[in-house]
Amino acid sequence: MGTDANGRQPVGSPAAGVVHSLAERHETLATVESLTGGLLAASVVEIAGVSGVYRGGLVVYATELKSELAGVPEELLADRGPVDPDVALALAEGGRRRCAADWGVATTGVAGPQPQDGKPVGLVYVAVAGPTGTEVRRLDLDGGREHIRSAAVIEALRLLAGRIHAADVETGSGAPATADGTTATAETGRG
């Protein structure tokens, strides 16, 4: 695994923490990816015991597939383009719904090398949809494509870990938060 939004190597595996937390909760996960192109799903499925947790995922690199496969409203894509916080939320919700999962996590952004639709290289949104609501986080990443994509995966998993932990607190389940739930210092979106 690469480095996070701050250029640091995560302690432990964010994917392993999420998978183990969801297994303890008997809940499932779906992924929807644009700029990460399958890296998020790959990091999840490399964890032993994931088959009881991971329902599946969508790689929707082309803009029209975000609507056709993940259910993002066409009007939203036409008005704002694919790199947008509400698009990220719609991707997470669409993946959750399409894969019949308890949780959906999504990535969208510009990995470079060129800006896209007026959006700068390194602008990334990661989003989570789950039983207790949704949250999106904006990341302003620097570095090359490889770093931007791997940091997006780490930060998406951290956002998911944080939402799972928050759900535990809200429900009083007390399930241990084994995921690397530290927060990035990147700008946080609305949730």
Side-chain angles (χ1 to χ4, degrees), residues 32-162:
V32 181
E33 303 177 68
S34 183
L35 85 148
T36 51
L39 289 176
L40 179 56
S43 70
V44 169
V45 300
E46 72 182 19
I47 306 303
V50 73
S51 61
V53 169
Y54 188 61
R55 295 278 302 153
L58 304 168
V59 176
V60 288
Y61 214 71
T63 300
E64 68 272 10
L65 292 182
K66 290 170 178 59
S67 176
E68 293 171 14
L69 298 178
V72 176
E74 290 179 16
E75 308 79 41
L76 177 60
L77 289 166
D79 288 347
R80 301 199 200 157
V83 182
D84 178 83
D86 290 331
V87 170
L89 287 170
L91 288 169
E93 292 169 342
R96 179 179 182 225
R97 186 176 54 256
R98 297 281 167 118
C99 294
D102 297 300
W103 296 87
V105 61
T107 63
T108 188
V110 183
Q114 302 298 322
Q116 174 186 330
D117 299 328
K119 306 289 173 80
V121 172
L123 175 60
V124 174
Y125 294 98
V126 295
V128 171
T132 59
T134 61
E135 185 174 349
V136 64
R137 182 172 292 157
R138 175 185 170 139
L139 306 171
D140 294 297
L141 303 170
D142 55 10
R145 275 181 71 79
E146 184 177 338
H147 170 72
I148 291 169
R149 293 172 72 230
S150 67
V153 168
I154 292 167
E155 299 305 332
L157 290 167
R158 284 181 173 170
L159 180 60
L160 177 58

